[in-house]
Structures are given as structure tokens and as C-alpha cells.
Amino acid sequence: MIRDIIHDEIFLAQKSEPATVKDKKIAVDLVDTLRFNSDRCVGMAANMIGERKCIIVVAVGKTILTMFNPKIIRKEQPFTTEEGCLSLTGERSTTRYERIQVVYQDEKLRQHKDNFTGWTAQIIQHECDHLDGIII
């Protein structure tokens, strides 16, 4: 189901709670909402649709990667960039990393550890900031 985008910075600044198998519907709604907004959005976190759960979705080409409880465990090659957000107006300066390593769970809560670079790494970092209540 396509959900409304949350713009309330007080809500967005709250840290998300761990996701469980009971939260699969939230992930489905995130994917639907990302697809609906694909002309202006490449990633979303659950709090952007009003759910304080640690779930993100990231557009990787035509594929959408869903991550439950993602944690960035390694960061390399910092750079400064400007980012926008579907939940906020304008762009803001932030530091990101060219290469990251992430541990996360898929929709069946199977554990994964993957490396990401470039644009995909940047999107994941932005969405993980959302889960931690960090607004850029």
C-alpha cells in the first residue's frame, strides 16, 4: 500500500526500534511507496511512512533492496556532499563514505553482510541516519 510521507521533524528525529518478522507489511508498504515516488526518491526508511521500525528500502537499478535492522560496520573514504530528502525541503551538506560494509537481515530475517560503494552506499547511509533519528 502506498503510504503518505511524514514531514514532522519531531517524529523523524526519534530513533527507530528493531524490526521483527511481524513488520513485513511495513516493508511491503515501503517498497510500494518508493516505487510510487521513484521519479524523486531512491531510498526510504520506515519512519518516513510513520513507522518507527529499523527497515529501509534502496533502489539499486530496477531492483529494490529491503534491509531489516541494517548496521553500518565499516566506512572508508569520506567525502562531503549535498543531499535532499523526500521528508524535508531543500538540500543539506553532510559527510558520507565511498565504501561501506553493512550487516542486515532480509525479509525472512536471514543475516547478510555486504559491501556497497558509490551511490548505493550513499543512499544506505542516508536511510540508516533516518533510523537513528538523524536529520540532515
Side-chain angles (χ1 to χ4, degrees), residues 44-128:
M44 295 187 75
N47 64 352
M48 294 174 68
I49 61 169
E51 302 285 352
R52 287 187 2 189
K53 291 292 184 169
C54 289
I55 306 169
I56 67 171
V57 293
V58 178
V60 182
K62 294 188 181 210
T63 302
I64 296 180
L65 175 62
T66 301
M67 296 179 166
F68 280 65
N69 305 309
K71 295 286 182 209
I72 299 169
I73 59 170
R74 190 175 69 212
K75 303 174 185 179
E76 297 174 355
Q77 295 179 276
F79 65 96
T80 301
T81 189
E82 297 283 319
E83 290 181 354
C85 181
L86 194 58
S87 287
L88 306 168
T89 56
E91 291 189 348
R92 295 166 173 85
S93 181
T94 189
T95 299
R96 295 291 181 218
Y97 296 83
E98 179 65 28
R99 297 178 189 182
I100 61 172
Q101 187 172 64
V102 183
V103 293
Y104 64 96
Q105 297 165 314
D106 61 24
E107 296 91 338
K108 295 181 180 175
L109 298 185
R110 293 177 297 208
Q111 193 78 12
H112 297 267
K113 179 165 58 170
D114 290 319
N115 297 308
F116 298 93
T117 61
W119 181 236
T120 302
Q122 185 175 346
I123 299 165
I124 292 169
Q125 291 168 80
H126 180 101
E127 303 313 331
C128 284

Side-chain angles (χ1 to χ4, degrees), residues 3 6 8-20 23 26 30 45-56 69 130-133:
R3 306 265 297 264
I6 301 299
D8 180 355
E9 289 189 37
I10 294 171
F11 180 82
L12 294 170
Q14 296 176 40
K15 192 169 179 147
S16 295
E17 301 169 358
T20 69
D23 298 315
I26 296 169
L30 266 177
N47 64 352
M48 294 174 68
I49 61 169
E51 302 285 352
R52 287 187 2 189
K53 291 292 184 169
C54 289
I55 306 169
I56 67 171
N69 305 309
H130 271 292
L131 300 180
D132 290 332

